[in-house]
Amino acid sequence: MNFDPRYSNRSFTSVGTRPIRPDGVDKVTGRARYGADFNMAGQLVGRVLRSPHPHAKIRKIDTAKAEKLAGVKAVITAADLPDLTDGDAAMYDILDNCMARKKALYDGHAVAAVAAVDARTARQALKLIEVDYEVLLHVTDVDEAMKHTAPLLNDAIFTEGLEEKPVKPSNVTKRTQFGHGDIHEGFGQADFVVKRSFKTEQTHQGYIEPHACVASVSSDGTADLWVCTQGHFVYRQHCAQLLGMEASKLRVTSSEIGGGFGGKTHVWAEPVALALARKAGRPVKLVMTRDEVFRASGPTSATSIDVRIGARKDGTITAAEATLRYSCGPYAGMWAEIGAMTAFACYRLENVRTVGYEVLVNRPKTAAYRAPSAPMAAFAVESAIDELAKEIGMDPVEFRIRNAAQEGTRSSYGPVYGPIGIGPTLEAAKNHPHMKAPLGKNQGRGMACGFWFNFGGQTCTDLNIGMDGSVSLAVGTVDVGGSRASLSLVAAEELGIAYEQVKAVVADTSSLGYNDMTDGSRGTFSSSMATISAARNTIKILRERAAQMWDIPVDDVVWEKGHAIAKGEKYGNLAALSLKEIAAASGKTGGPIAGHSELVADGAGVSFATHICDIEVDPETGTTRVLRYTVVQDAGKAVHPTYVEGQYQGGAAQGIGWALNEEYIYGKDGRLQNPGFLDYRIPVCSDLPMIDTQILEIPNPNHPYGVRGVGETSIVPPLAAIANAVSNAAGVRMTHIPMSPPRILAAIEAERGG
């Protein structure tokens, strides 16, 4: 059955309501099983030995003493994970990150692992492993790493994207450029120009649940992996390739996930657990400690960004450019490329250019963090936008409205926009009561805009109807933000039945066709599209079964409000058949009733948001207090408004922590100084105000219900909105994130001294 994904303006019965979440009771009562809650008979405990050096050659690893320790069942090194990547550079980087081969490239890099009968024995075994290191010079700062005098992390890396092929290796893996027009001409037309440099420090996603898995490998080569992940199908592909297994023989089951935010889109310990289980011949459970999560799994990039924007006296931007340097950890990435694409995406610009540099440093491999790379770019651009508005003498909201992108605008990264929400979010912010509320002494208000692409991707869904009329919806996108409830609402809407009749489950990799990683805000967008398609396929079968029961042509049967109805006066004596009645008779009409869908969900629809923030700054200590925060964002269509509001609030809360407190602190020795939530401080309830939300609905033309992804855009504006608020409160422009009390106080004192 052909599926038409185009938007159709319709009224809704289930979609847009706020039912209780289906997983809530299990989670608050402790019945929900997360990564570390699963156990298998005879399982061993896995532990990983990690490098204490940020950069060192591995001369030799001697595991003999550890192997002889009673209770140790397996010890592995890189030799047990041979290179089977067949020249695939990205997969080789994943392999090398899971277990260091020639060099340890950051503090915490795995160099060996053990499986033992208990945790105590495993810890003893790690102490018995002898590693001979040759310590090398290291570099952890993104700007320092770009200097020609910096120690090289990989002498096989030559910068891509340059006009001339370089003859010397470099820590810069790639240069990318986006834009259009003539920026030199544009700046020549400007009456005002603002030029600033900005820095943001590295941050962690802050998920509460550490990485955890249980792996089992049978003698016939079949294997099972229970894991907390955002994409169990991708984990299957990666683990199978790294271990030389057939993907079809590895079943991966995703547990409940205690937060991911992009940090659980990469394999870290899972190939190690499988290798240990294969060598030991017994299941292995491997759970990272909090210290390991910080030192050895992926944080976001640290950045250094230069921005220049010019405008006429009337407030029209004539030119904009940005140079963005993003750290990648020790492996190539595309983080600066994404930052360069998103930097000016909110604006209608005739002349624009962004250049991104991917930079290797001796820190953990960078991973996604909720709209990866966009918050840092927005911090720099939106700070400069605010400063430029002040120079011109315009209200910062009016300045943004004047230059906002709209339908038909050629974006700064290339595509032409369809219907978008940046203008409406700005108008809503302008008219919001928050914008008109009075401020007190040492208080400032800031606002900022944000953008995210959103993605779709490969998606597969099964919808099965039980003989009692219940509906089981099997999806392959991991529920990272309430998608089971949203998808149940969509199935109920299409079938015309009650939400309570639908139960959504996340199927394992052996039960459903391939699904892409649950990232890019694709979960509800893509799986709702597949659910609509599967439900419509199911309705076709339900109509056929009803026609069979009535002995009439199927073309004379329509489906309305959960019932098959025989249309036409000639069938006036035929009472409507409910889904439950048709299902009850299915054994006599052809067997089970099910709908299936597999598709590539294109046209995810870009997303925009505008945030407003009020901050109070103590000028004597530099401490801050967030007084009020408002999020205005376009959802396309809010399938479950409570979840949408939660996504808005969650992104804002994470952005507040990022802007004011959170950062990786490395010592001169290249070691992480704060690998835990005591010293790496994420916001707690007392740090946050009630975060107000306003949902706008500008339908996405490429989805039947108009849905857009909502999970990531909400973290893009906070860094800039808060920086603008702090700058206004303190009377000095803040250019370094996080704006911790020492940094704010230093900026105030420098301004006073000037």
Side-chain angles (χ1 to χ4, degrees):
M1 182 178 178
N2 292 329
F3 175 67
D4 184 358
R6 291 175 297 178
Y7 173 67
S8 58
N9 192 9
R10 57 176 289 180
S11 58
F12 295 99
T13 302
S14 295
V15 166
T17 62
R18 301 171 183 258
I20 295 174
R21 59 189 299 163
D23 55 332
V25 172
D26 282 354
K27 286 182 175 176
V28 299
T29 57
R31 285 199 297 267
R33 291 200 298 178
Y34 292 86
D37 292 330
F38 187 73
N39 296 289
M40 297 183 73
Q43 75 182 20
L44 303 171
V45 175
R47 288 288 186 273
V48 177
L49 181 67
R50 301 187 180 278
S51 169
H53 307 293
H55 196 196
K57 287 184 180 178
I58 301 172
R59 289 171 171 161
K60 182 182 179 183
I61 301 178
D62 188 346
T63 62
K65 293 179 182 178
E67 290 169 348
K68 293 176 182 177
L69 182 66
V72 172
K73 302 301 179 182
V75 180
I76 66 167
T77 64
D80 298 281
L81 284 166
D83 180 11
L84 305 174
T85 59
D86 194 26
D88 185 330
M91 287 304 299
Y92 181 84
D93 286 350
I94 294 172
L95 176 68
D96 189 70
N97 187 55
C98 288
M99 190 65 69
R101 315 185 85 70
K102 298 176 182 178
K103 292 201 299 184
L105 293 167
Y106 56 90
D107 166 39
H109 199 167
V111 295
V114 303
V117 293
D118 54 39
R120 181 183 178 188
T121 304
R123 287 193 296 268
Q124 288 179 324
L126 293 184
K127 294 177 182 178
L128 295 175
I129 298 174
E130 298 174 359
V131 185
D132 181 13
Y133 295 103
E134 179 188 338
V135 178
L136 305 172
L137 294 175
H138 64 271
V139 59
T140 57
D141 179 79
V142 64
D143 287 321
E144 292 296 320
M146 290 188 71
K147 295 178 179 178
H148 71 275
T149 55
L152 277 177
L153 273 71
N154 187 337
D155 58 13
I157 294 291
F158 293 81
T159 307
E160 297 178 15
L162 300 178
E163 290 184 4
E164 294 185 10
K165 187 176 181 180
V167 295
K168 292 183 179 181
S170 170
N171 288 329
V172 179
T173 68
K174 188 178 182 182
R175 178 191 184 274
T176 52
Q177 180 173 319
F178 298 91
H180 54 260
D182 186 331
I183 62 166
H184 300 293
E185 181 180 328
F187 280 114
Q189 299 170 1
D191 297 310
F192 298 91
V193 176
V194 165
K195 183 178 180 180
R196 283 278 188 182
S197 295
F198 302 86
K199 283 185 78 76
T200 69
E201 298 300 331
Q202 194 164 50
T203 53
H204 197 268
Q205 298 86 349
Y207 41 82
I208 302 303
E209 178 197 27
H211 298 274
C213 64
V214 180
S216 177
V217 181
S218 300
S219 56
D220 62 359
T222 58
D224 278 279
L225 181 67
W226 166 278
V227 61
C228 54
T229 173
Q230 291 178 239
H232 46 314
F233 289 89
V234 175
Y235 273 39
R236 177 186 65 176
Q237 298 300 108
H238 285 180
C239 289
Q241 184 173 348
L242 295 180
L243 275 79
M245 303 172 64
E246 293 181 31
S248 61
K249 290 187 175 182
L250 174 59
R251 179 176 63 178
V252 182
T253 304
S254 63
S255 68
E256 292 287 351
I257 185 168
F261 315 111
K264 291 175 181 172
T265 58
H266 301 247
V267 294
W268 309 103
E270 296 77 16
V272 174
L274 282 163
L276 285 169
R278 181 167 63 183
K279 191 168 185 177
R282 287 170 60 176
V284 173
K285 184 174 188 175
L286 204 164
V287 181
M288 279 189 174
T289 64
R290 185 65 59 189
D291 178 277
E292 289 178 300
V293 169
F294 274 94
R295 291 172 60 217
S297 68
T300 190
S301 298
T303 74
S304 171
I305 303 172
D306 304 324
V307 174
R308 183 168 63 132
I309 308 175
R312 297 191 185 99
K313 294 176 183 178
D314 66 358
T316 302
I317 296 176
T318 60
E321 69 171 336
T323 302
L324 308 97
R325 298 166 289 271
Y326 281 56
S327 67
C328 300
Y331 305 104
M334 57 179 295
W335 310 111
E337 181 176 357
I338 298 172
M341 293 173 75
T342 62
F344 293 108
C346 292
Y347 299 104
R348 185 181 65 256
L349 303 171
E350 294 295 325
N351 307 292
V352 58
R353 181 176 67 191
T354 58
V355 178
Y357 293 95
E358 318 289 347
V359 186
L360 302 184
V361 293
N362 293 116
R363 296 189 180 209
K365 175 182 169 66
T366 297
Y369 180 12
R370 204 171 190 164
S373 302
M376 305 85 117
F379 160 61
V381 168
E382 292 291 304
S383 295
I385 287 281
D386 235 50
E387 195 168 1
L388 184 55
K390 187 176 181 180
E391 289 280 331
I392 296 170
M394 283 188 72
D395 176 83
V397 182
E398 293 291 353
F399 182 57
R400 288 173 170 87
I401 290 173
R402 183 176 186 86
N403 294 283
Q406 53 195 227
E407 185 173 358
T409 294
R410 182 184 178 188
S411 69
S412 57
Y413 63 97
V416 174
Y417 290 134
I420 56 173
I422 180 62
T425 66
L426 281 164
E427 292 289 349
K430 174 184 174 181
N431 297 316
H432 197 282
H434 183 171
M435 198 62 83
K436 302 174 179 65
L439 292 169
K441 185 180 179 181
N442 298 322
Q443 295 177 0
R445 176 166 299 139
M447 56 84 59
C449 300
F451 159 89
W452 186 242
F453 310 96
N454 294 328
F455 301 116
Q458 299 178 78
T459 312
C460 183
T461 298
D462 275 339
L463 191 152
N464 291 274
I465 297 180
M467 294 187 69
D468 61 353
S470 62
V471 175
S472 175
L473 181 66
V475 301
T477 45
V478 175
D479 186 351
V480 295
S483 61
R484 279 173 293 189
S486 297
L487 298 176
S488 295
L489 283 170
V490 170
E493 186 71 51
E494 283 295 317
L495 295 172
I497 60 176
Y499 165 82
E500 291 76 16
Q501 285 180 247
V502 184
K503 180 177 177 59
V505 297
V506 180
D508 65 54
T509 58
S510 295
S511 304
L512 198 64
Y514 181 83
N515 281 260
D516 279 330
M517 182 70 65
T518 308
D519 60 4
S521 298
R522 69 174 294 270
T524 296
F525 167 77
S526 61
S527 278
S528 67
M529 192 179 289
T531 297
I532 293 168
S533 175
R536 292 178 182 177
N537 290 337
T538 305
I539 289 171
K540 179 177 181 292
I541 298 171
L542 288 165
R543 289 174 52 238
E544 291 171 350
R545 298 298 178 87
Q548 185 178 343
M549 293 169 70
W550 283 326
D551 194 21
I552 66 173
V554 68
D555 289 342
D556 290 344
V557 180
V558 295
W559 189 263
E560 295 179 1
K561 298 180 180 180
H563 292 76
I565 298 172
K567 63 181 181 180
E569 294 181 3
K570 60 183 176 180
Y571 300 127
N573 62 329
L574 295 178
L577 289 172
S578 68
L579 181 146
K580 186 174 183 179
E581 290 171 320
I582 299 171
S586 61
K588 300 177 182 178
T589 60
I593 299 172
H596 182 75
S597 176
E598 59 284 315
L599 50 78
V600 177
D602 292 325
V606 295
S607 175
F608 294 90
T610 299
H611 290 201
I612 315 167
C613 177
D614 292 353
I615 294 275
E616 184 174 272
V617 176
D618 185 335
E620 301 303 318
T621 64
T623 56
T624 56
R625 184 163 66 98
V626 183
L627 304 172
R628 187 172 181 179
Y629 203 101
T630 300
V631 176
V632 183
Q633 184 175 323
D634 171 24
K637 176 61 186 177
V639 177
H640 192 305
T642 301
Y643 277 125
V644 172
E645 291 164 352
Q647 290 295 317
Y648 291 3
Q649 292 165 333
Q654 288 179 312
I656 289 169
W658 191 342
L660 297 176
N661 294 306
E662 298 179 40
E663 66 175 309
Y664 273 40
I665 299 172
Y666 278 86
K668 292 183 179 180
D669 60 358
R671 302 198 67 185
L672 184 61
Q673 304 291 299
N674 58 333
F677 285 138
L678 180 63
D679 297 312
Y680 181 96
R681 190 173 181 278
I682 62 174
V684 295
C685 290
S686 58
D687 296 314
L688 301 171
M690 290 300 295
I691 297 171
D692 297 326
T693 61
Q694 184 175 347
I695 299 172
L696 302 186
E697 295 185 328
I698 293 88
N700 174 10
N702 301 307
H703 187 284
Y705 294 177
V707 169
R708 299 177 190 267
V710 301
E712 293 176 282
T713 312
S714 52
I715 203 173
V716 180
L719 275 63
I722 295 165
N724 288 333
V726 171
S727 298
N728 290 333
V732 57
R733 172 54 55 184
M734 299 300 300
T735 60
H736 196 164
I737 294 289
M739 294 169 288
S740 56
R743 284 202 181 105
I744 293 175
L745 191 60
I748 292 173
E749 290 175 347
E751 185 75 6
R752 287 171 179 168

